[in-house]
Amino acid sequence: MTGPAKCLALIGAKGMLASMVLDTASADFEITPFDLPEFDLTDASLVQKVIGELKPDVIINCAAFTAVDACETNEDLANKVNGEGPGILAAAALKVGATLVHISTDYVFDGKQTRPYAEEDRPNPSSAYGRSKLLGEEAIRSSGLKEYFIIRTSWLYGPGGKNFVETVARLAAERQELRIVADQFGTPTYTGDLAGAIFNLLDAATVDPPPANSPYGLYHFSNEGECSWHDFALAIVEELKGRGATVVAEAVLPIRTEEYPLPAPRPAYSVFSKEKYRRVTGATVPHWKESLIRYFDRRSSEV
Ligand SMILES: NC(=O)c1ccc[n+]([C@@H]2O[C@H](COP(=O)([O-])OP(=O)(O)OC[C@H]3O[C@@H](n4cnc5c(N)ncnc54)[C@H](OP(=O)(O)O)[C@@H]3O)[C@@H](O)[C@H]2O)c1
């Protein structure tokens, strides 16, 4: 390590992504975790006080109201946590000169596109969750803070969280037949890879000499490749079987979105272009199948 450790405030520290941020951060960072109930990012005076006292170099915001369907009936709370919260953090970051990293979502898009979404593509959310997350992006952009990264990601899974991989693993051990949506396409993202991407972007902003063009701004990051939820489920079940896990499911059947109605509409297509991320960081993006195997390797070593 060169120089003193950087002070990092990790918001939403008990969540799924945050646990991998904690796991991935190098010794260059001294991390102070914040989460409910002691720390509510919608409490502006508390946030100003806490961030004002800590004076972090970096704030990573992994906190959000992430229950997508519950957002449909709690849009006020979604807008407060996902829409106003990021603006409150941006104002606090501006005051202490911190860089803010904020995580957003593919749900800001309506999914009508048929080629990978780039950062310049127009958002048009069709769910309360997507609208609230877009409000959060706008709150950061209009805060006056220049040193921020907004990273949109998709289909996140990893240790310590409710996620599709764990749901399929549970159902595959319980049911003879799984019925999985096959007409929504996107890309899974392993939290370990997203945590790495966060630090790669932070590194790109602190190179010496400083980069000619500001690296700050909006990024898309997921794993590489694309698949349907059904393809993803097939890969998960295959991996479970290959590792000798209990699988009673004999069939993983493809179904249409209409056959599995949910309160919040999901984008039918939300593959991201990672071109900008690759250009700015020089990093490669692992394919989702390769990352799924790494996740299972880790999962096996923890059981
Ligand atoms: N999961 C996905 O598939 C996905 C996809 C795309 C983007 N994202 C984005 O990725 C980020 C991380 O997601 P995740 O799945 O890791 O989230 P998560 O596991 O649900 O963790 C979020 C954390 O934030 C906390 N939190 C909620 N409201 C808060 C508040 N008002 N003040 C402080 N903390 C609060 C939660 O506490 P409680 O548990 O007590 O509520 C929880 O510990 C989020 O921004 C999410 O929108 C997720």
Side-chain angles (χ1 to χ4, degrees):
M1 189 174 82
T2 54
K6 290 184 194 131
C7 175
L8 192 168
L10 182 61
I11 317 296
K14 294 179 195 157
M16 180 173 72
L17 172 61
S19 76
M20 283 308 265
V21 170
L22 280 163
D23 202 75
T24 308
S26 73
D28 293 353
F29 291 93
E30 194 176 310
I31 304 182
T32 308
F34 296 99
D35 206 319
L36 290 172
E38 301 81 18
F39 180 93
D40 181 342
L41 90 159
T42 66
D43 183 340
S45 56
L46 176 74
V47 171
Q48 286 290 354
K49 181 173 174 291
V50 167
I51 299 298
E53 280 168 12
L54 185 68
K55 297 190 177 49
D57 301 291
V58 178
I59 301 171
I60 299 181
N61 180 29
C62 297
F65 181 7
T66 54
V68 171
D69 293 309
C71 287
E72 292 298 315
T73 43
N74 295 282
E75 194 156 0
D76 287 350
L77 181 61
N79 287 344
K80 209 162 188 273
V81 178
N82 299 342
E84 290 171 28
I88 293 171
L89 288 174
L94 187 62
K95 263 201 177 151
V96 298
T99 297
L100 174 66
V101 180
H102 173 71
I103 310 301
S104 191
T105 171
D106 56 326
Y107 283 38
V108 299
F109 293 114
D110 59 22
K112 293 191 176 139
Q113 208 161 282
T114 49
R115 55 161 177 83
Y117 280 96
E119 289 79 357
E120 303 76 44
D121 287 321
R122 197 177 64 85
N124 184 30
S126 40
S127 63
Y129 172 72
R131 286 191 292 276
S132 71
K133 293 292 286 184
L134 185 59
L135 283 177
E137 294 184 11
E138 285 159 359
I140 294 171
R141 268 196 290 272
S142 61
S143 67
L145 181 72
K146 297 224 162 29
E147 288 83 21
Y148 69 81
F149 292 107
I150 296 171
I151 309 172
R152 292 185 183 139
T153 193
S154 61
W155 297 24
L156 211 52
Y157 69 92
K162 270 196 217 158
N163 62 65
F164 186 76
V165 180
E166 292 308 322
T167 303
V168 168
R170 179 173 48 80
L171 294 178
E174 289 170 7
R175 297 186 190 174
Q176 297 239 305
E177 192 178 281
L178 304 190
R179 294 158 55 80
I180 311 285
V181 170
D183 57 0
Q184 289 171 25
F185 297 87
T187 315
T189 307
Y190 176 38
T191 48
D193 294 330
L194 176 56
I198 290 173
F199 289 108
N200 286 340
L201 284 167
L202 286 168
D203 281 350
T206 49
V207 286
D208 190 20
N213 299 313
S214 165
Y216 296 110
L218 176 65
Y219 286 83
H220 285 178
F221 184 86
S222 65
N223 279 127
E224 208 52 271
E226 64 177 81
C227 61
S228 68
W229 289 109
H230 178 253
D231 297 327
F232 191 21
L234 284 175
I236 295 163
V237 170
E238 197 175 311
E239 202 56 41
L240 287 164
K241 282 185 180 164
R243 287 167 192 264
T246 309
V247 174
V248 300
E250 281 160 13
V252 181
L253 302 176
I255 59 167
R256 283 173 290 114
T257 298
E258 304 88 88
E259 294 174 81
Y260 190 69
L262 290 168
R266 269 72 172 163
Y269 177 89
S270 66
V271 176
F272 281 149
S273 162
K274 274 78 67 180
E275 186 52 39
K276 182 178 176 189
Y277 167 78
R278 279 197 298 265
R279 180 165 37 80
V280 169
T281 61
T284 52
V285 179
H287 194 278
W288 69 265
K289 285 190 177 169
E290 178 196 325
S291 294
L292 184 65
I293 292 169
R294 270 190 291 119
Y295 172 62
F296 270 104
D297 286 345
R298 184 183 168 120
R299 196 174 176 265
S300 318
S301 72
E302 283 173 356
V303 172

